[in-house]
Amino acid sequence: MELLHVTFIGGDSGGWRLTGTPFRIGEPLPAVGRIAMVEGRVAGGIWKLRGVTSNARYVNRAERDTLRAAQAGLGRPEATCAALIPIAKSPAWWELAQDERRAIFEDRSQHVAATLRFLPAIARRLHHSRDLGEPFDFLTWFEYAPEHAAMFDELVGLLRATEEWQYVIREVDLRLERD
Amino acid sequence: MELLHVTFIGGDSGGWRLTGTPFRIGEPLPAVGRIAMVEGRVAGGIWKLRGVTSNARYVNRAERDTLRAAQAGLGRPEATCAALIPIAKSPAWWELAQDERRAIFEDRSQHVAATLRFLPAIARRLHHSRDLGEPFDFLTWFEYAPEHAAMFDELVGLLRATEEWQYVIREVDLRLERD
């Protein structure tokens, strides 16, 4: 489980073309036409968001095994749609203890249980940003085929209705299409 | 709860003089005479270790409240002794799910319960390093008065005997004295 440092570069180059920003909480990001997802630290672009794939913070062993068995990897040829959703949670969230955050995340918001049925159609990779001193706490990257676009809207709509999302103070839903 | 980015600089300057390295697992650090603890990213020194104070990952609400009520802050005039203990845990630790790491950390190793009696004599600040791409996963900084030196040895001895410590693959115990 190697940690992967990833930079998302918003600008006018990169393999993913912005098709829309259907949802936002808080301050927007400067407008860009394209996003590149690259490994490591890089220069260029209008904005850059950095994150690192790290150990999961909330899922228990059973949930993790279920997720691993069900999930698809990135880069499937048919998955020509993507979404980059940077999120920041409130100071009140980070002030909670581990058991309180876990209770909101899964026991009451069912972040895992309620979203399992979207796998493997929707592939997902989570990047942690908060400890890196970044403006967002997480950068989640999703990939899916065009025929699953409505399913993806259902997934994010479901999460945004949870108790967990009451702690989200900034979110930008960037939808993308691969060239 | 502001996140504090901290750099520990090993070299020939800084307010803390190295008095010994009584314990080590794995590769040592290059020898230095002094350590400076500074906020932010800085240049200089023979080696630099970076970390960030972040949210606690394992303690529950009751434990956190108990710790906060009992603990002392850094910088007490009488606390002229310090220890910087960088630690790396094994891939097997990071491959565990949250509930498994928590069970080892507290239910079986009593990382919090067994060390509460050393508070407030021993002050402690934990810095997370793993997600920053650093060679260690954690940098723990301790401060205590000279009369509590034996108590500090007892504390680290107790932790090193736990199941949790079977996952420690690198540790350097750097003891220091303030000028």
Side-chain angles (χ1 to χ4, degrees):
Chain A
M1 197 184 61
E2 204 60 36
L3 268 63
L4 195 65
H5 285 260
V6 175
T7 305
F8 293 93
I9 311 167
D12 53 12
S13 61
W16 296 91
R17 187 173 56 79
L18 197 77
T19 58
T21 309
F23 184 82
R24 179 167 61 81
I25 297 171
E27 197 190 341
L29 284 165
V32 298
R34 287 175 172 275
I35 289 176
M37 172 169 60
V38 298
E39 295 184 18
R41 283 172 171 276
V42 287
I46 293 172
W47 49 254
K48 274 183 294 293
L49 298 174
R50 295 188 310 124
V52 56
T53 63
S54 186
N55 57 295
R57 309 290 158 91
Y58 301 111
V59 295
N60 63 32
R61 178 57 171 257
E63 290 158 357
R64 198 199 60 177
D65 290 350
T66 304
L67 283 170
R68 285 196 183 174
Q71 72 200 357
L74 301 186
R76 292 169 296 174
E78 70 275 20
T80 56
C81 297
L84 171 62
I85 309 191
I87 279 177
K89 285 180 173 169
S90 67
W93 171 264
W94 295 110
E95 176 64 14
L96 295 172
Q98 178 69 25
D99 58 332
E100 297 171 311
R101 280 182 275 112
R102 159 73 196 186
I104 294 167
F105 174 88
E106 190 58 26
D107 305 345
R108 305 212 291 272
S109 300
Q110 303 207 283
H111 193 124
V112 176
T115 61
L116 268 174
R117 66 185 167 91
F118 300 98
L119 275 54
I122 315 290
R124 166 189 171 278
R125 190 168 71 193
L126 177 65
H127 311 79
H128 296 262
S129 295
R130 182 168 188 254
D131 286 357
L132 307 186
E134 286 281 304
F136 293 95
D137 296 333
F138 309 100
L139 311 173
T140 313
W141 176 260
F142 301 91
E143 288 181 7
Y144 50 94
E147 65 263 34
H148 294 130
M151 185 192 273
F152 183 70
D153 285 331
E154 187 188 347
L155 166 61
V156 292
L158 187 151
L159 285 169
R160 288 176 188 141
T162 61
E163 180 180 345
E164 184 191 351
W165 240 254
Q166 295 175 21
Y167 293 89
V168 173
I169 55 172
R170 192 175 177 198
E171 174 178 4
V172 186
D173 182 343
L174 300 157
R175 299 294 174 92
L176 303 150
E177 245 174 30
R178 192 161 56 191
D179 285 329
Chain B
M1 198 184 60
E2 204 60 36
L3 269 62
L4 195 65
H5 285 261
V6 175
T7 305
F8 293 93
I9 311 167
D12 54 12
S13 61
W16 295 91
R17 188 172 56 79
L18 196 77
T19 58
T21 310
F23 184 82
R24 180 167 60 82
I25 298 171
E27 197 190 339
L29 284 166
V32 298
R34 288 174 171 276
I35 288 176
M37 172 171 58
V38 298
E39 296 184 18
R41 283 172 170 275
V42 287
I46 292 172
W47 48 254
K48 274 183 292 293
L49 298 174
R50 295 188 310 124
V52 56
T53 62
S54 186
N55 56 295
R57 309 290 159 89
Y58 301 110
V59 294
N60 63 31
R61 177 58 172 256
E63 291 158 356
R64 196 199 61 177
D65 290 350
T66 304
L67 284 170
R68 285 196 183 172
Q71 72 201 355
L74 301 186
R76 292 170 297 175
E78 70 275 20
T80 57
C81 297
L84 172 62
I85 309 190
I87 280 177
K89 285 181 173 170
S90 67
W93 171 264
W94 295 111
E95 176 64 12
L96 295 172
Q98 176 69 26
D99 58 332
E100 296 170 312
R101 279 182 274 113
R102 159 72 197 188
I104 295 168
F105 174 88
E106 189 59 26
D107 305 345
R108 305 212 291 271
S109 300
Q110 304 207 285
H111 194 124
V112 175
T115 62
L116 268 174
R117 67 185 167 91
F118 300 98
L119 275 54
I122 315 290
R124 166 190 172 278
R125 191 168 69 191
L126 177 65
H127 311 79
H128 296 262
S129 295
R130 182 170 188 253
D131 286 356
L132 307 186
E134 286 282 304
F136 292 94
D137 295 332
F138 309 100
L139 311 173
T140 313
W141 176 260
F142 301 92
E143 288 181 6
Y144 50 94
E147 64 262 35
H148 295 130
M151 185 191 275
F152 183 70
D153 284 331
E154 188 188 347
L155 166 61
V156 291
L158 186 152
L159 285 169
R160 287 174 189 142
T162 61
E163 180 181 345
E164 184 190 351
W165 240 253
Q166 296 174 21
Y167 294 90
V168 173
I169 56 172
R170 191 175 178 199
E171 174 177 2
V172 186
D173 182 343
L174 300 157
R175 299 295 175 91
L176 304 150
E177 245 174 31
R178 193 160 56 190
D179 285 327

